[in-house]
Amino acid sequence: MDILDSYTIENLFAQLGLANTPEAISAFIKSHHLSADVQIADAPFWNEGQLQFIQESLDEDADWAEVVDELNALLHE
């Protein structure tokens, strides 16, 4: 398995402690839509640990940053 294969939306949800089945991810995205002026790190629904992980991923341009960006885009659709 390629190391990049581990940085998926499913694994991001698992990392955040969220259900990570395709159905659970779809339901989360549908129920947590963000308006255009709210970025993922400013979303009110993250707990402290989730927010810290997201913020660090983005601030440090970590391996997870691309997947966090993908989730950000999905939450804004």
Side-chain angles (χ1 to χ4, degrees):
M1 180 166 109
D2 188 300
I3 188 72
L4 295 178
D5 291 341
S6 64
Y7 299 106
T8 64
I9 194 86
E10 293 84 5
N11 288 342
L12 175 61
F13 270 68
Q15 185 72 26
L16 294 171
L18 300 170
N20 68 338
T21 64
E23 298 81 12
I25 293 169
S26 180
F28 181 90
I29 291 167
K30 287 179 183 173
S31 64
H32 292 86
H33 180 75
L34 296 176
S35 60
D37 62 334
V38 177
Q39 290 303 304
I40 193 167
D42 298 324
F45 45 79
W46 302 122
N47 68 34
E48 187 175 325
Q50 292 166 332
L51 178 58
Q52 182 178 2
F53 180 82
I54 289 168
Q55 194 63 59
E56 286 177 4
S57 294
L58 295 173
D59 288 349
E60 298 171 10
D61 198 24
D63 294 330
W64 286 107
E66 187 173 325
V67 185
V68 171
D69 285 340
E70 177 184 350
L71 178 57
N72 185 51
L74 292 169
L75 293 171
H76 284 92
E77 286 184 348

